Amino acid sequence: MLGVFFFAVSGSLLAARKRFDIVASLILASLTGLGGGVVRDVIIGAHPPAAFAQPLYFLPPVIAVVLVFFFFNGVTRFRKTLLLSDAGGLGMFCVAGTVKAIDFGVNPLSAALLGVTTAVGGGLLRDVVANVVPSILRQDDIYALPALIGAGLTALLVQFGLFNAVTAVLAALLTITLRALSIKFRWHLPLATPHSQAPGD
Amino acid sequence: MLGVFFFAVSGSLLAARKRFDIVASLILASLTGLGGGVVRDVIIGAHPPAAFAQPLYFLPPVIAVVLVFFFFNGVTRFRKTLLLSDAGGLGMFCVAGTVKAIDFGVNPLSAALLGVTTAVGGGLLRDVVANVVPSILRQDDIYALPALIGAGLTALLVQFGLFNAVTAVLAALLTITLRALSIKFRWHLPLATPHSQAPGD
Amino acid sequence: MLGVFFFAVSGSLLAARKRFDIVASLILASLTGLGGGVVRDVIIGAHPPAAFAQPLYFLPPVIAVVLVFFFFNGVTRFRKTLLLSDAGGLGMFCVAGTVKAIDFGVNPLSAALLGVTTAVGGGLLRDVVANVVPSILRQDDIYALPALIGAGLTALLVQFGLFNAVTAVLAALLTITLRALSIKFRWHLPLATPHSQAPGD
């Protein structure tokens, strides 16, 4: 729920920056907080998805919208807090998403990819719907890779019977730490091609 | 079917405005008319979705494409008619979408949200695919809220055993009326934040 | 697998052109190569979708990303090869997609539409996620129609008990040929409307 909330805040903040109204804010907050899990559940065949099976999941987006409405300036001032909170959501979602996929009989590698989908899918939907280039594609730091590492580690732990509350927290913390370090030290990945772009191509 | 048709016309009109060809027109018309229902059915696990179970559903988009091709100027002249027709689709879809979700065992609150998804999802897909900011986010009037009220009322009616042909029509009419009034009087909702945007943020 | 690869290359090339990094390249390559099939499987209720049931499907996108990283200039020089390869993917996917939908009990007309979805869905997702107007909408030549003809022929062949390895290849070749001819002779379809756009509309 905490992960949903922090993701939802980023959706609502995008609505505020774009001068959308409060219903648009609620739509973007819900998409960001719950979209990744819904996409995972639709792919593995969990009907209805968790967000629709348990309506309490829509409470964090509502709270996020209210907070952004009343405290927008305050929220943006805590930019570092927000980035860290988002990293927290990333860590929790990639572990939980991988485990749920394995529970539904998906093989470990695909389960890890679905864990990443859970973690980054909400932010992707937020940006696609708001018609901006997704931040996951234009990151100046590393975003999806820590989630992939956390999800891959989770799949390995389950595979070798070592997954429990402690190792789950460790996998999430690893993701969060890698993400935080990548923000602090502005880690970059190589571009899709090191060659410069041919003009007019 | 009538709701599908009116939504499809808006998809085809967007294709005309963007100078796309007739196949693109058919793609956007189908997405707008049928996309919301397909998303709902994929979420609740209705396989195949209604649009694919009954191919007749693709007839309204085809008619819309033909009409826009031959009568584009005429169609746009009837801007008010179009807005009202779209409101009609909104009213019918939010009621029917909510009822189908409840039939599939979804709880009332989530069913109402899926009713809204059915009503607004097609237009959202149309705009996302055509790469424009979704009209549901940039509305200068109120669009999603009347659908939410109609869907919520439908869920309550079913919950209390009062849902029948008459109350269904009343719920749809309430949505249509609220939407029509919001167009006429240019009702606004508050922005996601009342604070002005911090520069450079 | 070959079709997945050629589609994946186009996703990775888009990432290179947009100056995205290698993880973004992998995301776009996977979406392009596998997205159409995942959408089809989610619609017909094949859980998990083929791409997640068999992790080998993610190998072609990985190879595409590596190739584009090391040989970007070389890849773009073979523009005609690429267009033809993409046509090959289109032909294979529209036949295979239609057959899988029929196997899941979908009626022939809807199955053909799902075959087209399989063939064009990946490229559509690639463009939507990268925030560009989908090439399927802004084609200066004919793209979706050859897929629709190949998918429709496949559905008819199955319907009349004439579908086998030979006729499957013929249906794919028909699609590829029509697509290749449309590139060579710059075939156009009529616009969504022949009327010029009303100013300010």
Side-chain angles (χ1 to χ4, degrees), chain A residues 42 107 110 131 134 190 192-194, chain C residues 20-22 47 49 52 69 72 129 131:
Chain A
V42 160
N107 64 73
S110 300
N131 199 32
T193 172
Chain C
F20 294 150
D21 70 22
I22 49 167
H47 298 297
F52 292 98
F69 182 78
F72 178 62
V129 166
N131 199 31

Side-chain angles (χ1 to χ4, degrees), chain C:
Chain C
M1 289 298 244
L2 210 64
V4 175
F5 171 73
F6 290 128
F7 277 168
V9 169
S10 81
S12 197
L13 282 176
L14 182 59
R17 281 175 200 142
K18 289 266 180 181
R19 314 290 299 154
F20 294 150
D21 70 22
I22 49 167
V23 165
S25 180
L26 189 57
I27 291 171
L28 289 180
S30 306
L31 272 175
T32 317
L34 306 171
V38 170
V39 169
R40 175 206 56 209
D41 288 351
V42 160
I43 287 176
I44 62 178
H47 298 297
F52 292 98
Q54 172 51 274
L56 265 182
Y57 275 110
F58 281 93
L59 195 59
V62 170
I63 296 172
V65 168
V66 172
L67 277 179
V68 167
F69 182 78
F70 285 110
F71 305 109
F72 178 62
N73 286 332
V75 171
T76 50
R77 205 169 297 148
F78 296 113
R79 192 177 144 77
K80 276 186 189 168
T81 318
L82 245 176
L83 277 172
L84 261 174
S85 315
D86 182 85
L90 196 74
M92 288 185 259
F93 275 47
C94 73
V95 174
T98 304
V99 171
K100 180 156 185 185
I102 290 174
D103 284 347
F104 271 75
V106 177
N107 63 73
L109 179 54
S110 299
L113 294 172
L114 285 167
V116 178
T117 304
T118 312
V120 308
L124 191 62
L125 282 174
R126 171 199 65 208
D127 294 340
V128 162
V129 166
N131 199 31
V132 300
V133 177
S135 63
I136 189 183
L137 297 182
R138 62 177 158 75
Q139 285 298 331
D140 293 327
D141 38 45
I142 295 177
Y143 191 87
L145 197 59
L148 183 57
I149 291 169
L153 177 58
T154 301
L156 283 174
L157 288 169
V158 174
Q159 194 72 350
F160 292 106
L162 297 168
F163 186 80
N164 54 48
V166 175
T167 55
V169 170
L170 287 178
L173 279 179
L174 175 66
T175 299
I176 295 167
T177 308
L178 288 173
R179 171 73 184 133
L181 290 173
S182 100
I183 296 170
K184 185 164 179 59
F185 297 109
R186 296 189 160 272
W187 285 347
H188 279 60
L189 285 172
L191 293 185
T193 173
H195 304 284
S196 65
Q197 190 179 349
D201 189 33

Side-chain angles (χ1 to χ4, degrees), chain A:
Chain A
M1 290 296 243
L2 209 66
V4 174
F5 171 72
F6 290 127
F7 277 167
V9 169
S10 82
S12 197
L13 282 176
L14 182 59
R17 280 176 200 141
K18 289 264 179 183
R19 314 290 301 153
F20 294 150
D21 69 23
I22 49 167
V23 165
S25 181
L26 188 58
I27 291 171
L28 289 181
S30 304
L31 272 176
T32 317
L34 305 171
V38 170
V39 169
R40 175 206 57 209
D41 288 351
V42 160
I43 286 177
I44 62 178
H47 297 298
F52 292 99
Q54 172 51 272
L56 265 182
Y57 275 110
F58 281 93
L59 194 58
V62 170
I63 296 172
V65 167
V66 171
L67 277 180
V68 167
F69 182 77
F70 285 110
F71 306 109
F72 177 63
N73 286 334
V75 171
T76 51
R77 207 169 295 149
F78 297 111
R79 191 177 146 76
K80 276 186 188 168
T81 317
L82 245 177
L83 276 172
L84 261 174
S85 316
D86 181 87
L90 197 73
M92 288 184 259
F93 275 47
C94 73
V95 174
T98 304
V99 171
K100 180 156 185 185
I102 290 175
D103 285 347
F104 271 74
V106 176
N107 64 73
L109 179 54
S110 300
L113 294 171
L114 285 167
V116 177
T117 304
T118 312
V120 308
L124 191 61
L125 282 175
R126 172 199 63 207
D127 294 341
V128 162
V129 166
N131 199 32
V132 300
V133 177
S135 63
I136 190 183
L137 297 183
R138 62 177 156 77
Q139 284 299 329
D140 293 326
D141 37 45
I142 295 177
Y143 192 87
L145 197 58
L148 184 57
I149 291 170
L153 177 58
T154 302
L156 283 175
L157 288 169
V158 174
Q159 193 72 351
F160 292 106
L162 297 168
F163 186 79
N164 53 48
V166 175
T167 55
V169 170
L170 287 177
L173 279 179
L174 176 66
T175 300
I176 295 167
T177 308
L178 287 173
R179 172 73 184 130
L181 289 173
S182 100
I183 296 171
K184 184 162 179 59
F185 297 108
R186 296 188 158 272
W187 284 348
H188 278 61
L189 285 172
L191 293 184
T193 172
H195 305 284
S196 65
Q197 191 180 348
D201 188 32

Side-chain angles (χ1 to χ4, degrees), chain B residues 110-132:
Chain B
S110 299
L113 294 171
L114 285 167
V116 177
T117 304
T118 312
V120 309
L124 191 62
L125 282 174
R126 171 199 65 208
D127 294 340
V128 162
V129 166
N131 198 33
V132 299

Side-chain angles (χ1 to χ4, degrees), chain B residues 98-190:
Chain B
T98 304
V99 171
K100 179 155 185 185
I102 290 174
D103 284 348
F104 272 73
V106 177
N107 63 73
L109 179 54
S110 299
L113 294 171
L114 285 167
V116 177
T117 304
T118 312
V120 309
L124 191 62
L125 282 174
R126 171 199 65 208
D127 294 340
V128 162
V129 166
N131 198 33
V132 299
V133 177
S135 62
I136 188 185
L137 297 183
R138 63 177 157 75
Q139 285 299 330
D140 293 327
D141 38 44
I142 294 177
Y143 192 86
L145 197 58
L148 183 57
I149 291 169
L153 177 59
T154 302
L156 283 174
L157 288 169
V158 174
Q159 192 73 350
F160 292 106
L162 297 168
F163 186 80
N164 54 48
V166 175
T167 55
V169 170
L170 287 178
L173 279 180
L174 175 66
T175 299
I176 296 166
T177 308
L178 288 173
R179 171 73 184 132
L181 289 173
S182 100
I183 296 170
K184 186 163 177 61
F185 297 108
R186 296 187 161 272
W187 285 347
H188 279 60
L189 284 172

